Amino acid sequence: MGSMTFVQNSELFSYSGTNCVRNDYYHNECQLCVDICPERAFHIVRSKLTLFSSECIECAACIGSCPTEALSIKSFDPNAYTTSFKEEDDKLLSCKKTTSCLGSFDSHHYITMALTSNESPICDMAHCKECSLNTNGKIESFIREEIKKTMDFLTACDSEYSISIQEEKPEDENAKRALFKAAFTKVKEAVQEEDEQESIGITLEYQKASGFTGLPLKFLNLKKAIRDNISKLPKTTHDTNFGIFANKEISFKDCTNCGDCVNFCPTEALLKTTDKQGINFNVGNCISCGICNHICKTDAIKTTGGIDLVNFAYDRGTELVHYEMVMCHECRCPYPYRGGDPICDRCADFRVDFSHVFTLAKDM
């Protein structure tokens, strides 16, 4: 991201246009927050995402939907809550008691809480259907989908960890809350004491000190949780990505080594090899934004299923493609050599398309 920042605020809620993947890349069509917002406070203006702060009711239901953590609220930090969850006496995630709307979490948060706590998190879904925020059932559907991803992941890993859903209301609880904003009466401290940083998790300060701030904090916390508990996950390689992770492959035949996918990747998941003649991929940094797929002029890069949790957690990169760069004998420019005559695609196409221009009269 650039040094300039663009942030819109209501009283408690903030939207960072600088961190928004849609604003970072003009052709990206992400509008997850637009779709889930119960008050239609987000609008697409000239292909850019804009918050109409006067329409925002600060419910926090949209926060978990954002892949780049461009959305936040002062009264509740899902990352701080996630990393301190193991210290919580009450393992019930409930907008009535302990958290904001469960829409502020996604599967990265749920998995981290499940892996780092001795007791399984319990998601209170008893109030979601009748909630005034649950317009057309979108928020409830989002929450259940993220919990399902978490369940599928933990089950596939043959893990001893789990997550569950509470569907019924306690008998002593009122049928409805008077105001849904009462969920924000309990404010979580986002910044922990220095001597607790390692046990609580990776903090925003650590992220900034590392010199790379493009990766969402929920990814860093999840990677740490997997590293710390990798021995308790019997199965670490999978054929599916659970809708949580992303994998990439690049066609040697189609790739021109132009570097556009590397240049436009917002999280440095794609990097040039040290000799600049190939492309490496770090699955632990990929946020599934799809920019690389769209920017590739030859459709050489594809998203594939499958995940190796060791590679994800330990940032082990893989080489997707590598070329020998040779000099084109026509234009004298280097290009990725694939065999045959040493001529680049541009010159080869030119030779075919304009061969008639150079035909002599005697040969016609």
Side-chain angles (χ1 to χ4, degrees):
M1 301 294 180
S3 58
M4 296 183 64
T5 58
F6 169 67
V7 178
Q8 291 181 284
N9 298 297
S10 60
E11 186 176 355
L12 295 175
F13 186 81
S14 293
Y15 156 61
S16 171
T18 309
N19 293 339
C20 176
V21 70
R22 184 182 184 114
N23 289 357
D24 194 46
Y25 178 63
Y26 180 81
H27 298 288
N28 188 274
E29 297 181 349
C30 178
Q31 59 174 44
L32 296 173
C33 57
V34 177
D35 294 337
I36 204 171
C37 178
E39 298 295 318
R40 302 181 183 273
F42 290 102
H43 299 262
I44 306 299
V45 180
R46 294 174 183 161
S47 297
K48 300 293 185 182
L49 184 68
T50 301
L51 170 68
F52 285 19
S53 56
S54 61
E55 299 175 8
C56 177
I57 58 174
E58 302 172 336
C59 63
C62 61
I63 292 177
S65 69
C66 182
T68 56
E69 296 182 342
L71 312 175
S72 62
I73 195 163
K74 294 179 182 178
S75 56
F76 186 77
D77 183 344
N79 286 315
Y81 185 88
T82 296
T83 52
S84 64
F85 179 74
K86 60 179 177 290
E87 310 295 339
E88 297 287 335
D89 294 329
D90 192 346
K91 301 303 181 184
L92 180 68
L93 307 180
S94 173
C95 62
K96 296 285 190 177
K97 299 174 60 178
T98 56
T99 72
S100 67
C101 173
L102 294 190
S104 60
F105 300 109
D106 75 353
S107 52
H108 298 81
H109 299 115
Y110 292 131
I111 294 173
T112 299
M113 285 187 275
L115 293 181
T116 56
S117 177
N118 291 327
E119 298 179 58
S120 301
I122 305 169
C123 300
D124 182 6
M125 298 290 295
H127 320 276
C128 294
K129 180 171 290 188
E130 66 186 31
C131 179
S132 59
L133 300 178
N134 191 36
T135 307
N136 297 324
K138 290 182 178 180
I139 293 176
E140 181 185 8
S141 295
F142 169 76
I143 296 170
R144 290 188 183 277
E145 178 62 25
E146 295 304 303
I147 294 173
K148 181 180 183 302
K149 290 178 186 177
T150 304
M151 289 178 172
D152 290 345
F153 171 77
L154 295 173
T155 300
C157 290
D158 295 332
S159 170
E160 62 187 63
Y161 304 101
S162 63
I163 185 172
S164 61
I165 296 176
Q166 178 176 290
E167 300 282 7
E168 298 181 0
K169 302 175 186 177
E171 293 181 3
D172 60 347
E173 184 180 272
N174 292 327
K176 294 184 179 181
R177 55 184 170 174
L179 294 172
F180 61 81
K181 285 189 178 181
F184 302 128
T185 56
K186 185 175 182 180
V187 178
K188 293 293 179 180
E189 293 294 334
V191 181
Q192 307 294 335
E193 295 296 331
E194 185 176 351
D195 60 352
E196 296 176 344
Q197 292 306 309
E198 182 60 26
S199 62
I200 290 178
I202 302 173
T203 65
L204 188 58
E205 285 70 29
Y206 178 89
Q207 187 183 16
K208 290 179 179 178
S210 70
F212 174 59
T213 59
L215 192 65
L217 190 54
K218 59 188 175 185
F219 273 70
L220 298 176
N221 284 331
L222 176 57
K223 287 195 278 190
K224 183 179 186 303
I226 293 176
R227 287 198 303 271
D228 291 346
N229 297 276
I230 196 72
S231 62
K232 299 177 183 178
L233 298 175
K235 187 175 181 181
T236 59
T237 58
H238 306 275
D239 295 331
T240 179
N241 55 26
F242 306 102
I244 302 171
F245 311 98
N247 228 327
K248 299 289 179 179
E249 65 179 24
I250 294 179
S251 167
F252 179 87
K253 175 180 177 293
D254 297 325
C255 178
T256 63
N257 202 28
C258 68
D260 284 351
C261 60
V262 173
N263 295 332
F264 280 86
C265 180
T267 56
E268 298 182 2
L270 293 167
L271 293 168
K272 283 284 189 179
T273 55
T274 54
D275 61 5
K276 309 299 182 184
Q277 295 184 191
I279 298 173
N280 289 333
F281 174 65
N282 180 0
V283 66
N285 281 10
C286 184
I287 60 172
S288 306
C289 66
I291 291 176
C292 58
N293 300 67
H294 185 275
I295 200 71
C296 182
K297 300 178 183 66
T298 58
D299 292 326
I301 188 165
K302 306 292 183 185
T303 300
T304 63
I307 182 66
D308 185 322
L309 295 180
V310 175
N311 289 344
F312 174 84
Y314 289 92
D315 290 320
R316 293 182 179 176
T318 56
E319 187 176 86
L320 297 185
V321 68
H322 196 273
Y323 295 100
E324 174 191 1
M325 302 296 286
V326 302
M327 193 77 71
C328 172
H329 70 215
E330 292 285 348
C331 65
R332 312 306 295 172
C333 293
Y335 77 100
Y337 183 65
R338 302 185 185 87
D341 292 337
I343 182 171
C344 69
D345 292 340
R346 183 179 60 178
C347 290
D349 291 342
F350 184 86
R351 177 188 288 177
V352 172
D353 295 341
F354 298 98
S355 59
H356 64 282
V357 176
F358 305 100
T359 302
L360 298 177
K362 67 180 183 65
D363 297 323
M364 295 179 66

